[in-house]
Amino acid sequence: WSQVYEWTGIRIENFHRPLSRYMEAYLAAGLTLRAFEEPVPDDGALRAHYAFEDWFRVPLFTVMRWEKERGRP
């Protein structure tokens, strides 16, 4: 399924895929995962806006750094 997001004149259609599908594709391409982060709001954001509470348990996005060894196809 897909969802459409729009902000500041940008429109993105996001297609849901399980995280395992992405991981399988990156690994099959010969990439090595070097860093993985799940950013969350700072503690002050939770005190100011209780609606952010879920973001501390389930991140809205992840940040990954993948590398490919030089010389690998």
Short mmCIF file of all heavy atoms in Angstrom, two decimals, residues 10-57:
data_model
loop_
_atom_site.label_atom_id
_atom_site.label_comp_id
_atom_site.label_asym_id
_atom_site.label_seq_id
_atom_site.Cartn_x
_atom_site.Cartn_y
_atom_site.Cartn_z
N ILE A 10 6.41 19.92 -1.98
CA ILE A 10 6.98 18.62 -2.35
C ILE A 10 5.91 17.55 -2.13
O ILE A 10 5.24 17.53 -1.11
CB ILE A 10 8.21 18.30 -1.49
CG1 ILE A 10 9.30 19.34 -1.72
CG2 ILE A 10 8.73 16.90 -1.82
CD1 ILE A 10 10.46 19.22 -0.76
N ARG A 11 5.75 16.67 -3.10
CA ARG A 11 4.79 15.57 -2.99
C ARG A 11 5.54 14.26 -3.14
O ARG A 11 6.26 14.05 -4.12
CB ARG A 11 3.74 15.68 -4.08
CG ARG A 11 2.67 14.62 -4.00
CD ARG A 11 1.63 14.85 -5.09
NE ARG A 11 0.49 13.99 -4.91
CZ ARG A 11 0.39 12.75 -5.37
NH1 ARG A 11 1.39 12.22 -6.05
NH2 ARG A 11 -0.69 12.04 -5.16
N ILE A 12 5.40 13.37 -2.15
CA ILE A 12 6.09 12.09 -2.16
C ILE A 12 5.06 10.98 -1.97
O ILE A 12 4.23 11.05 -1.06
CB ILE A 12 7.14 12.00 -1.04
CG1 ILE A 12 8.25 13.02 -1.29
CG2 ILE A 12 7.71 10.59 -0.95
CD1 ILE A 12 9.25 13.11 -0.18
N GLU A 13 5.11 9.97 -2.82
CA GLU A 13 4.28 8.80 -2.62
C GLU A 13 5.17 7.71 -2.02
O GLU A 13 6.15 7.29 -2.62
CB GLU A 13 3.67 8.31 -3.93
CG GLU A 13 2.71 7.16 -3.71
CD GLU A 13 1.94 6.79 -4.96
OE1 GLU A 13 2.21 7.37 -6.03
OE2 GLU A 13 1.07 5.92 -4.86
N ASN A 14 4.85 7.32 -0.82
CA ASN A 14 5.65 6.36 -0.07
C ASN A 14 4.97 4.99 -0.13
O ASN A 14 3.80 4.86 0.22
CB ASN A 14 5.78 6.82 1.38
CG ASN A 14 6.61 5.88 2.19
OD1 ASN A 14 7.67 5.46 1.77
ND2 ASN A 14 6.12 5.53 3.37
N PHE A 15 5.72 3.98 -0.56
CA PHE A 15 5.20 2.62 -0.62
C PHE A 15 5.74 1.84 0.57
O PHE A 15 6.95 1.80 0.78
CB PHE A 15 5.62 1.92 -1.92
CG PHE A 15 4.95 2.50 -3.13
CD1 PHE A 15 5.52 3.57 -3.79
CD2 PHE A 15 3.75 2.00 -3.57
CE1 PHE A 15 4.91 4.12 -4.90
CE2 PHE A 15 3.12 2.54 -4.68
CZ PHE A 15 3.71 3.61 -5.34
N HIS A 16 4.85 1.23 1.33
CA HIS A 16 5.27 0.46 2.50
C HIS A 16 6.01 -0.81 2.07
O HIS A 16 5.56 -1.54 1.20
CB HIS A 16 4.06 0.06 3.35
CG HIS A 16 4.42 -0.88 4.45
ND1 HIS A 16 5.11 -0.46 5.56
CD2 HIS A 16 4.24 -2.20 4.59
CE1 HIS A 16 5.32 -1.51 6.35
NE2 HIS A 16 4.79 -2.57 5.78
N ARG A 17 7.16 -1.01 2.68
CA ARG A 17 7.92 -2.25 2.50
C ARG A 17 8.45 -2.65 3.87
O ARG A 17 8.88 -1.80 4.63
CB ARG A 17 9.13 -2.04 1.57
CG ARG A 17 8.82 -1.53 0.19
CD ARG A 17 8.31 -2.65 -0.71
NE ARG A 17 8.20 -2.25 -2.08
CZ ARG A 17 7.19 -1.60 -2.62
NH1 ARG A 17 6.21 -1.20 -1.87
NH2 ARG A 17 7.15 -1.31 -3.89
N PRO A 18 8.47 -3.93 4.18
CA PRO A 18 9.06 -4.36 5.44
C PRO A 18 10.55 -4.02 5.47
O PRO A 18 11.23 -4.05 4.43
CB PRO A 18 8.86 -5.87 5.46
CG PRO A 18 7.81 -6.15 4.44
CD PRO A 18 7.91 -5.05 3.42
N LEU A 19 11.06 -3.69 6.63
CA LEU A 19 12.47 -3.36 6.77
C LEU A 19 13.35 -4.50 6.27
O LEU A 19 14.41 -4.27 5.68
CB LEU A 19 12.78 -3.05 8.24
CG LEU A 19 14.17 -2.52 8.55
CD1 LEU A 19 14.49 -1.28 7.74
CD2 LEU A 19 14.29 -2.25 10.04
N SER A 20 12.90 -5.73 6.44
CA SER A 20 13.70 -6.87 5.98
C SER A 20 13.93 -6.84 4.47
O SER A 20 14.99 -7.25 3.99
CB SER A 20 13.04 -8.19 6.39
OG SER A 20 11.76 -8.29 5.82
N ARG A 21 12.98 -6.34 3.71
CA ARG A 21 13.15 -6.25 2.24
C ARG A 21 14.28 -5.30 1.88
O ARG A 21 15.09 -5.57 1.00
CB ARG A 21 11.86 -5.78 1.57
CG ARG A 21 10.75 -6.77 1.59
CD ARG A 21 10.95 -7.79 0.46
NE ARG A 21 9.89 -8.76 0.49
CZ ARG A 21 8.84 -8.75 -0.32
NH1 ARG A 21 8.71 -7.81 -1.22
NH2 ARG A 21 7.93 -9.68 -0.21
N TYR A 22 14.32 -4.17 2.58
CA TYR A 22 15.40 -3.21 2.32
C TYR A 22 16.75 -3.82 2.69
O TYR A 22 17.72 -3.72 1.95
CB TYR A 22 15.19 -1.92 3.12
CG TYR A 22 14.06 -1.08 2.60
CD1 TYR A 22 12.82 -1.09 3.23
CD2 TYR A 22 14.23 -0.27 1.48
CE1 TYR A 22 11.78 -0.31 2.76
CE2 TYR A 22 13.19 0.51 1.00
CZ TYR A 22 11.97 0.48 1.64
OH TYR A 22 10.93 1.24 1.16
N MET A 23 16.80 -4.44 3.86
CA MET A 23 18.06 -5.04 4.32
C MET A 23 18.54 -6.11 3.34
O MET A 23 19.73 -6.15 2.99
CB MET A 23 17.90 -5.66 5.71
CG MET A 23 17.59 -4.68 6.79
SD MET A 23 18.94 -3.51 6.98
CE MET A 23 18.35 -2.57 8.35
N GLU A 24 17.65 -6.96 2.88
CA GLU A 24 18.01 -8.01 1.93
C GLU A 24 18.58 -7.40 0.64
O GLU A 24 19.57 -7.88 0.10
CB GLU A 24 16.80 -8.87 1.59
CG GLU A 24 16.35 -9.75 2.74
CD GLU A 24 14.99 -10.38 2.50
OE1 GLU A 24 14.39 -10.17 1.42
OE2 GLU A 24 14.50 -11.06 3.42
N ALA A 25 17.96 -6.33 0.16
CA ALA A 25 18.41 -5.70 -1.09
C ALA A 25 19.79 -5.07 -0.91
O ALA A 25 20.67 -5.22 -1.78
CB ALA A 25 17.41 -4.64 -1.53
N TYR A 26 20.01 -4.38 0.21
CA TYR A 26 21.32 -3.75 0.45
C TYR A 26 22.41 -4.82 0.57
O TYR A 26 23.49 -4.68 0.01
CB TYR A 26 21.30 -2.91 1.73
CG TYR A 26 20.33 -1.74 1.69
CD1 TYR A 26 19.66 -1.36 2.84
CD2 TYR A 26 20.10 -1.02 0.53
CE1 TYR A 26 18.78 -0.29 2.84
CE2 TYR A 26 19.22 0.05 0.52
CZ TYR A 26 18.57 0.41 1.67
OH TYR A 26 17.71 1.46 1.66
N LEU A 27 22.13 -5.87 1.32
CA LEU A 27 23.12 -6.94 1.50
C LEU A 27 23.40 -7.66 0.18
O LEU A 27 24.55 -7.99 -0.12
CB LEU A 27 22.67 -7.92 2.58
CG LEU A 27 22.60 -7.32 4.00
CD1 LEU A 27 21.90 -8.29 4.94
CD2 LEU A 27 23.99 -6.97 4.50
N ALA A 28 22.36 -7.89 -0.61
CA ALA A 28 22.53 -8.55 -1.91
C ALA A 28 23.37 -7.69 -2.85
O ALA A 28 24.04 -8.21 -3.74
CB ALA A 28 21.17 -8.84 -2.54
N ALA A 29 23.36 -6.38 -2.64
CA ALA A 29 24.15 -5.46 -3.47
C ALA A 29 25.60 -5.37 -2.99
O ALA A 29 26.39 -4.61 -3.55
CB ALA A 29 23.51 -4.08 -3.48
N GLY A 30 25.94 -6.14 -1.95
CA GLY A 30 27.30 -6.14 -1.46
C GLY A 30 27.62 -5.01 -0.49
O GLY A 30 28.79 -4.70 -0.27
N LEU A 31 26.60 -4.39 0.07
CA LEU A 31 26.82 -3.28 1.00
C LEU A 31 27.02 -3.80 2.43
O LEU A 31 26.52 -4.87 2.78
CB LEU A 31 25.64 -2.32 0.97
CG LEU A 31 25.36 -1.67 -0.39
CD1 LEU A 31 24.09 -0.85 -0.32
CD2 LEU A 31 26.53 -0.83 -0.84
N THR A 32 27.74 -3.02 3.23
CA THR A 32 27.97 -3.34 4.63
C THR A 32 27.37 -2.22 5.48
O THR A 32 27.64 -1.04 5.23
CB THR A 32 29.48 -3.44 4.93
OG1 THR A 32 30.03 -4.47 4.10
CG2 THR A 32 29.75 -3.76 6.39
N LEU A 33 26.57 -2.60 6.46
CA LEU A 33 25.95 -1.61 7.35
C LEU A 33 27.00 -1.12 8.34
O LEU A 33 27.59 -1.91 9.07
CB LEU A 33 24.77 -2.24 8.09
CG LEU A 33 24.00 -1.32 9.03
CD1 LEU A 33 23.38 -0.15 8.29
CD2 LEU A 33 22.93 -2.11 9.77
N ARG A 34 27.24 0.19 8.36
CA ARG A 34 28.25 0.79 9.24
C ARG A 34 27.63 1.54 10.42
O ARG A 34 28.28 1.68 11.45
CB ARG A 34 29.14 1.75 8.46
CG ARG A 34 29.94 1.09 7.37
CD ARG A 34 30.96 0.16 7.96
NE ARG A 34 31.78 -0.41 6.89
CZ ARG A 34 32.52 -1.47 7.03
NH1 ARG A 34 32.56 -2.10 8.17
NH2 ARG A 34 33.21 -1.93 6.02
N ALA A 35 26.41 2.01 10.27
CA ALA A 35 25.75 2.74 11.37
C ALA A 35 24.24 2.64 11.20
O ALA A 35 23.73 2.58 10.07
CB ALA A 35 26.17 4.20 11.37
N PHE A 36 23.54 2.59 12.33
CA PHE A 36 22.08 2.50 12.32
C PHE A 36 21.56 3.30 13.50
O PHE A 36 21.95 3.05 14.64
CB PHE A 36 21.63 1.04 12.44
CG PHE A 36 20.15 0.85 12.31
CD1 PHE A 36 19.58 0.59 11.08
CD2 PHE A 36 19.33 0.92 13.42
CE1 PHE A 36 18.21 0.40 10.96
CE2 PHE A 36 17.96 0.73 13.31
CZ PHE A 36 17.40 0.48 12.07
N GLU A 37 20.70 4.29 13.24
CA GLU A 37 20.15 5.13 14.30
C GLU A 37 18.64 5.24 14.17
O GLU A 37 18.11 5.17 13.06
CB GLU A 37 20.76 6.53 14.23
CG GLU A 37 22.26 6.57 14.45
CD GLU A 37 22.82 7.97 14.34
OE1 GLU A 37 22.06 8.94 14.56
OE2 GLU A 37 24.01 8.09 14.04
N GLU A 38 17.99 5.41 15.30
CA GLU A 38 16.56 5.66 15.36
C GLU A 38 16.36 6.97 16.10
O GLU A 38 16.18 6.99 17.31
CB GLU A 38 15.84 4.53 16.10
CG GLU A 38 15.97 3.19 15.42
CD GLU A 38 15.40 2.07 16.26
OE1 GLU A 38 15.93 1.84 17.36
OE2 GLU A 38 14.41 1.46 15.82
N PRO A 39 16.40 8.10 15.37
CA PRO A 39 16.30 9.40 16.03
C PRO A 39 14.97 9.56 16.77
O PRO A 39 13.92 9.11 16.29
CB PRO A 39 16.39 10.39 14.89
CG PRO A 39 17.03 9.65 13.77
CD PRO A 39 16.60 8.22 13.94
N VAL A 40 15.04 10.18 17.93
CA VAL A 40 13.84 10.49 18.72
C VAL A 40 13.92 11.95 19.14
O VAL A 40 15.00 12.53 19.22
CB VAL A 40 13.70 9.59 19.97
CG1 VAL A 40 13.52 8.14 19.57
CG2 VAL A 40 14.89 9.75 20.89
N PRO A 41 12.77 12.55 19.44
CA PRO A 41 12.79 13.94 19.93
C PRO A 41 13.54 14.02 21.26
O PRO A 41 13.64 13.03 21.98
CB PRO A 41 11.31 14.28 20.13
CG PRO A 41 10.55 13.21 19.44
CD PRO A 41 11.42 12.02 19.36
N ASP A 42 14.03 15.20 21.59
CA ASP A 42 14.69 15.34 22.89
C ASP A 42 13.65 15.32 24.01
O ASP A 42 12.45 15.45 23.76
CB ASP A 42 15.56 16.59 22.95
CG ASP A 42 14.76 17.88 22.83
OD1 ASP A 42 13.59 17.92 23.25
OD2 ASP A 42 15.33 18.86 22.33
N ASP A 43 14.10 15.11 25.23
CA ASP A 43 13.19 15.00 26.36
C ASP A 43 12.30 16.22 26.53
O ASP A 43 11.16 16.12 26.97
CB ASP A 43 13.97 14.74 27.65
CG ASP A 43 14.59 13.35 27.67
OD1 ASP A 43 14.12 12.48 26.92
OD2 ASP A 43 15.54 13.15 28.44
N GLY A 44 12.80 17.40 26.19
CA GLY A 44 12.02 18.63 26.30
C GLY A 44 10.79 18.61 25.41
O GLY A 44 9.74 19.16 25.76
N ALA A 45 10.90 17.98 24.25
CA ALA A 45 9.77 17.90 23.33
C ALA A 45 8.62 17.12 23.95
O ALA A 45 7.45 17.46 23.77
CB ALA A 45 10.19 17.26 22.02
N LEU A 46 8.94 16.06 24.70
CA LEU A 46 7.90 15.27 25.33
C LEU A 46 7.18 16.07 26.41
O LEU A 46 5.96 16.03 26.51
CB LEU A 46 8.48 13.99 25.94
CG LEU A 46 7.48 13.07 26.63
CD1 LEU A 46 6.37 12.65 25.67
CD2 LEU A 46 8.17 11.85 27.19
N ARG A 47 7.93 16.84 27.18
CA ARG A 47 7.29 17.65 28.22
C ARG A 47 6.40 18.71 27.60
O ARG A 47 5.35 19.04 28.13
CB ARG A 47 8.36 18.29 29.10
CG ARG A 47 8.98 17.32 30.08
CD ARG A 47 9.83 18.03 31.12
NE ARG A 47 11.06 18.57 30.56
CZ ARG A 47 12.15 17.85 30.31
NH1 ARG A 47 12.16 16.55 30.57
NH2 ARG A 47 13.22 18.42 29.81
N ALA A 48 6.79 19.26 26.46
CA ALA A 48 6.02 20.32 25.81
C ALA A 48 4.84 19.78 25.02
O ALA A 48 3.81 20.45 24.91
CB ALA A 48 6.94 21.14 24.90
N HIS A 49 4.97 18.58 24.46
CA HIS A 49 3.93 18.02 23.59
C HIS A 49 3.79 16.52 23.86
O HIS A 49 4.54 15.72 23.32
CB HIS A 49 4.29 18.23 22.11
CG HIS A 49 4.50 19.65 21.75
ND1 HIS A 49 3.46 20.53 21.53
CD2 HIS A 49 5.63 20.38 21.58
CE1 HIS A 49 3.94 21.72 21.25
NE2 HIS A 49 5.27 21.65 21.27
N TYR A 50 2.83 16.15 24.65
CA TYR A 50 2.65 14.74 25.01
C TYR A 50 2.33 13.86 23.80
O TYR A 50 2.52 12.66 23.85
CB TYR A 50 1.59 14.59 26.08
CG TYR A 50 2.05 15.14 27.40
CD1 TYR A 50 1.55 16.34 27.89
CD2 TYR A 50 3.01 14.47 28.15
CE1 TYR A 50 1.99 16.86 29.09
CE2 TYR A 50 3.46 14.98 29.35
CZ TYR A 50 2.95 16.18 29.82
OH TYR A 50 3.40 16.69 31.00
N ALA A 51 1.90 14.47 22.70
CA ALA A 51 1.60 13.70 21.49
C ALA A 51 2.85 13.03 20.94
O ALA A 51 2.77 12.07 20.18
CB ALA A 51 0.98 14.60 20.43
N PHE A 52 4.05 13.51 21.32
CA PHE A 52 5.30 12.92 20.85
C PHE A 52 5.67 11.64 21.59
O PHE A 52 6.65 10.99 21.25
CB PHE A 52 6.45 13.91 21.00
CG PHE A 52 6.37 15.12 20.10
CD1 PHE A 52 7.04 16.27 20.43
CD2 PHE A 52 5.63 15.09 18.94
CE1 PHE A 52 6.98 17.39 19.61
CE2 PHE A 52 5.56 16.20 18.11
CZ PHE A 52 6.23 17.35 18.45
N GLU A 53 4.89 11.26 22.58
CA GLU A 53 5.25 10.10 23.40
C GLU A 53 5.49 8.85 22.57
O GLU A 53 6.45 8.10 22.82
CB GLU A 53 4.17 9.84 24.44
CG GLU A 53 4.52 8.72 25.38
CD GLU A 53 3.49 8.50 26.46
OE1 GLU A 53 2.45 9.17 26.46
OE2 GLU A 53 3.74 7.65 27.31
N ASP A 54 4.66 8.60 21.59
CA ASP A 54 4.83 7.41 20.74
C ASP A 54 6.16 7.42 20.00
O ASP A 54 6.71 6.38 19.69
CB ASP A 54 3.70 7.30 19.72
CG ASP A 54 2.40 6.84 20.34
OD1 ASP A 54 2.43 6.37 21.50
OD2 ASP A 54 1.35 6.97 19.69
N TRP A 55 6.69 8.59 19.69
CA TRP A 55 7.94 8.69 18.93
C TRP A 55 9.12 8.16 19.73
O TRP A 55 10.15 7.84 19.15
CB TRP A 55 8.20 10.12 18.53
CG TRP A 55 7.21 10.68 17.55
CD1 TRP A 55 6.08 10.07 17.08
CD2 TRP A 55 7.24 11.96 16.95
NE1 TRP A 55 5.41 10.89 16.22
CE2 TRP A 55 6.10 12.08 16.13
CE3 TRP A 55 8.11 13.02 17.02
CZ2 TRP A 55 5.84 13.21 15.38
CZ3 TRP A 55 7.83 14.16 16.28
CH2 TRP A 55 6.71 14.24 15.47
N PHE A 56 8.98 8.06 21.05
CA PHE A 56 10.06 7.51 21.85
C PHE A 56 10.07 5.98 21.81
O PHE A 56 11.08 5.36 22.08
CB PHE A 56 9.95 7.98 23.31
CG PHE A 56 10.35 9.41 23.49
CD1 PHE A 56 9.42 10.42 23.32
CD2 PHE A 56 11.65 9.75 23.80
CE1 PHE A 56 9.78 11.75 23.47
CE2 PHE A 56 12.03 11.08 23.96
CZ PHE A 56 11.08 12.08 23.78
N ARG A 57 8.93 5.39 21.47
CA ARG A 57 8.84 3.93 21.40
C ARG A 57 9.00 3.41 19.98
O ARG A 57 9.60 2.37 19.75
CB ARG A 57 7.49 3.48 21.97
CG ARG A 57 7.38 3.64 23.46
CD ARG A 57 6.14 2.96 24.00
NE ARG A 57 4.91 3.47 23.44
CZ ARG A 57 4.25 4.54 23.92
NH1 ARG A 57 4.71 5.19 24.93
NH2 ARG A 57 3.13 4.93 23.36
#
